């Protein structure tokens, strides 16, 4: 649901972005000494991402520079 809302607002983001957000959310949890991802923490990560995407869109670099990096496994 959250991804779908952001996808409507920022059509340039791809489905793989949600994986990057989940990694970011887990990293933020660990930095706060939390072992589980809460809905509050998830929403805070999405709020930060929404702001980042807005800034990228305003600067005209959303599609080129604001996509999540390619992760090679």
């Amino acid at each position: 649901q959250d991804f779908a809302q952001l996808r409507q607002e920022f059509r340039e983001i791809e489905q793989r972005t949600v994986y990057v957000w989940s990694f970011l959310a887990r990293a933020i949890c660990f930095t706060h000494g939390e072992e589980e991802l809460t809905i509050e923490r998830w929403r805070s990560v999405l709020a930060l991402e929404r702001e980042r995407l807005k800034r990228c869109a305003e600067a005209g670099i959303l599609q080129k520079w604001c996509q999540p990096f390619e992760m090679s496994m």
Side-chain angles (χ1 to χ4, degrees):
Q1 180 183 8
D2 295 323
F3 176 74
Q5 290 173 340
L6 283 171
R7 185 83 189 262
Q8 287 178 349
E9 189 174 346
F10 302 101
R11 297 213 182 266
E12 295 87 353
I13 62 174
E14 298 177 2
Q15 186 173 1
R16 66 181 178 191
T17 304
V18 76
Y19 297 113
V20 175
W21 291 343
S22 67
F23 285 118
L24 288 172
R26 292 293 293 153
I28 290 173
C29 284
F30 291 139
T31 62
H32 289 283
E34 302 165 352
E35 295 184 15
E36 294 184 11
L37 177 62
T38 63
I39 191 69
E40 293 82 16
R41 190 66 67 199
W42 175 248
R43 288 184 179 152
S44 71
V45 167
L46 292 183
L48 291 171
E49 276 296 288
R50 177 176 270 116
E51 288 303 313
R52 183 184 72 86
L53 291 168
K54 283 181 186 177
R55 288 192 307 269
C56 290
E58 289 169 0
I61 58 172
L62 182 62
Q63 190 169 17
K64 184 175 182 180
W65 297 106
C66 291
Q67 293 301 311
F69 54 89
E70 290 283 338
M71 294 185 344
S72 56
M73 297 280 207

